Amino acid sequence: MKVKVVSRKLVKPRTPTPQNLKNYNISFMDELNPTMNVNAILYYQPDHDTNTTNETLTKRLDESLAEILPHFYPFAGRYIKKHHLVDCSDQGAEIVAANVELELRQIIHNPSPKELNDLLPRESGAADEEEDPILSIQINKFNCGGIAIGICISHRIIDASSLGTFISAWTKASRGGDGDGDAVVPSFDGPVFLPGKNFPTPEFWLTRTRENALYNIGCKIFKFDKDAISRLKERAAAALVTTGESRPPSRNAVISGLMISAIAGLERARHGQERDLLVVQAVNMRGRTVPPLPKHSCGNLAALAITECSREEIKNMGFLDFVRVLRRDIGKTVGDCAKLLSEEGHKSLIDTSEYASAKSLGHDVNVVWLTDWTKFPFYEADFGWGKPVWASVVDVFIKNHVTMMTTKEGDGVEAWVQLEEREMDSFQNQIKFLMAG
């Protein structure tokens, strides 16, 4: 895929950021995140039903972005590492225009996760330096007239839910604020509830550029339609009943169990024995804390659910066992969210994050990161020329990382799996074996 950048500019907020908001001090949860961007790409078919031209399309996106940036004022600033704050002096969000010498359908029907990175304005690891825009956007125009909008926002100040809030606000402004649905009013009060502690940036197996990656990471998309998910849920529900659990498992619970079971199987295939296993799942805190954080709170507001299994336990565990323990620990963390804004809750958030980071740096524990993006409304992102035909993440070269995305139909799941390249074929065989079971 050949992508040619044709322009690069900065879009500033339509109205200046007030003086009292010039310094945005990040929360301790922001401090504990790795240096990287949160990325998403939205794909749109050619707009043949209107007279929209490339010029009017670009103007609409620029103007609507300038309109909402006063509400998302940190996004137009720059992060100052030594002070753990965003300088919100309206330096501007970056917009890149690019032409792609390919048909949009070729991307959608046969996507290459690694190549999709070319549709983003920045590398996944290119963040936290003063020259790095907090928000960067790339508008990619295909030969057929279709477009893909690639969005990068620094993970230092937002999570995936915040990304969804930004996209909802931007698309609504692009449509002219047409009055459909609730107003999208972001809140940046995370540092009030979770004040910063000047933690050092945690070490992680991430590099600024792909060329310097510490591992040869491969990424593959595994698609599960509603029939496949239904069969997995039936198997898991029958097994859970025998353990006294009557609540049926969710689709994400069975996909997560399948992923972890397959990854555990890789250990047996490669080493002849298992290592201890640690699974980290993100749990959205919004609406679950006391007092409740607003739905559109922006920041890193996800607690970590930790599942630990010893190598001896793993020997006797299969797909259904992993569904049970992963769901158990997610449920516990959801219940614990009520107290996370207390001093005791702060300590729990910090201890859990530091524990997971430390374990991920070692070699004696198999650490897997599970991220669920299926509840975010990416497929509702209508800028005024229709909803996306596809929404994707990219290959962010993080070892043992799984991101779950919903399909356009809403009843299927795409699991974006990142493993060492040499493990991918064995993993795929494990998935086929478990699905046949």
Side-chain angles (χ1 to χ4, degrees):
M1 178 170 64
K2 186 176 181 180
V3 180
K4 181 181 180 181
V5 172
V6 295
S7 69
R8 190 182 298 268
K9 64 184 177 184
L10 295 175
V11 172
K12 299 190 176 186
R14 178 170 295 176
T15 56
T17 298
Q19 192 62 38
N20 65 310
L21 299 178
K22 288 292 185 181
N23 289 337
Y24 176 71
N25 294 284
I26 65 174
S27 75
F28 70 76
M29 289 293 286
D30 299 327
E31 293 171 355
L32 292 171
N33 267 281
T35 298
M36 63 181 296
N37 291 304
V38 180
N39 309 308
I41 307 175
L42 307 171
Y43 306 80
Y44 298 87
Q45 295 281 21
D47 185 11
H48 295 307
D49 297 329
T50 71
N51 293 321
T52 301
T53 64
N54 287 345
E55 290 73 22
T56 57
L57 180 151
T58 301
K59 183 179 179 182
R60 175 188 290 184
L61 293 177
D62 288 356
E63 291 180 349
S64 56
L65 180 60
E67 178 184 336
I68 67 166
L69 277 178
H71 304 291
F72 293 87
Y73 60 96
F75 291 11
R78 298 295 182 270
Y79 181 59
I80 312 299
K81 278 194 293 187
K82 65 180 179 180
H83 298 309
H84 292 246
L85 61 80
V86 178
D87 173 19
C88 303
S89 297
D90 301 335
Q91 294 91 332
E94 179 183 50
I95 285 197
V96 177
N99 293 329
V100 186
E101 294 186 8
L102 205 66
E103 301 289 316
L104 177 61
R105 58 180 174 79
Q106 293 175 275
I107 288 280
I108 295 173
H109 294 156
N110 188 29
S112 168
K114 184 176 181 179
E115 289 187 345
L116 296 181
N117 285 273
D118 293 336
L119 301 178
L120 292 176
R122 309 186 69 77
E123 290 258 22
S124 293
D128 280 5
E129 300 301 327
E130 290 188 32
E131 65 270 19
D132 294 325
I134 299 292
L135 167 64
S136 293
I137 295 162
Q138 183 163 312
I139 303 170
N140 302 279
K141 299 171 183 176
F142 292 83
N143 290 339
C144 60
I147 66 170
I149 300 177
I151 304 170
C152 298
I153 309 180
S154 172
H155 206 348
R156 185 61 54 215
I157 65 167
I158 67 122
D159 57 12
S161 179
S162 310
L163 172 63
T165 291
F166 167 73
I167 291 172
S168 295
W170 188 21
T171 54
K172 191 175 183 68
S174 179
R175 294 194 306 270
D178 50 20
D180 58 329
D182 298 330
V184 181
V185 181
S187 166
F188 287 89
D189 290 337
V192 175
F193 296 103
L194 308 167
K197 299 182 181 295
N198 292 324
F199 289 128
T201 302
E203 292 186 49
F204 206 80
W205 296 118
L206 283 170
T207 55
R208 185 171 175 87
T209 62
R210 181 174 302 275
E211 288 73 20
N212 295 324
L214 301 176
Y215 292 95
N216 184 17
I217 303 298
C219 181
K220 187 172 180 62
I221 309 167
F222 292 83
K223 297 183 180 182
F224 302 90
D225 61 23
K226 63 179 181 180
D227 293 333
I229 293 172
S230 178
R231 291 193 297 271
L232 289 172
K233 290 175 68 173
E234 288 176 3
R235 284 170 55 193
L240 288 170
V241 167
T242 65
T243 65
E245 298 185 46
S246 58
R247 182 169 59 93
S250 68
R251 66 177 183 179
N252 291 348
V254 296
I255 298 299
S256 297
L258 187 75
M259 295 291 111
I260 299 304
S261 183
I263 289 174
L266 291 178
E267 293 286 294
R268 304 184 191 108
R270 280 192 58 195
H271 305 292
Q273 62 180 11
E274 294 80 1
R275 284 181 294 170
D276 293 345
L277 174 69
L278 187 147
V279 182
V280 186
Q281 299 181 83
V283 174
N284 193 347
M285 294 163 51
R286 296 165 181 84
R288 291 168 168 157
T289 59
V290 178
L293 295 169
K295 174 183 177 182
H296 296 306
S297 293
C298 289
N300 287 287
L301 297 168
L304 300 182
I306 301 291
T307 298
E308 294 186 271
C309 302
S310 71
R311 66 192 67 189
E312 292 302 320
E313 290 174 318
I314 294 171
K315 289 179 181 178
N316 300 312
M317 294 179 68
F319 157 60
L320 301 173
D321 300 296
F322 284 114
V323 171
R324 178 178 55 80
V325 297
L326 292 172
R327 187 171 78 156
R328 176 199 66 197
D329 294 330
I330 279 281
K332 181 180 183 304
T333 302
V334 168
D336 289 344
C337 281
K339 62 183 181 183
L340 289 181
L341 300 186
S342 66
E343 186 174 342
E344 177 189 359
H346 289 183
K347 185 178 186 304
S348 174
L349 286 168
I350 294 167
D351 289 348
T352 303
S353 181
E354 290 184 336
Y355 181 75
S357 295
K359 287 292 185 181
S360 71
L361 294 174
H363 298 282
D364 57 334
V365 177
N366 191 18
V367 179
V368 185
W369 303 83
L370 283 177
T371 305
D372 176 12
W373 285 29
T374 60
K375 298 180 180 65
F376 303 134
F378 297 122
Y379 282 102
E380 298 301 312
D382 181 0
F383 286 92
W385 54 79
K387 296 179 180 180
V389 292
W390 191 38
S392 82
V393 287
V394 294
D395 170 16
V396 294
F397 50 99
I398 299 176
K399 180 183 176 183
N400 288 3
H401 189 278
V402 179
T403 302
M404 291 181 288
M405 298 279 290
T406 192
T407 59
K408 179 174 175 57
E409 296 74 24
D411 53 12
V413 171
E414 293 177 352
W416 292 64
V417 180
Q418 298 185 158
L419 300 167
E420 287 191 63
E421 190 72 59
R422 59 182 176 173
E423 297 178 329
M424 193 60 78
D425 287 344
S426 294
F427 178 83
Q428 188 166 355
N429 290 335
Q430 291 283 339
I431 292 292
K432 290 178 181 178
F433 173 77
L434 292 168
M435 291 293 292

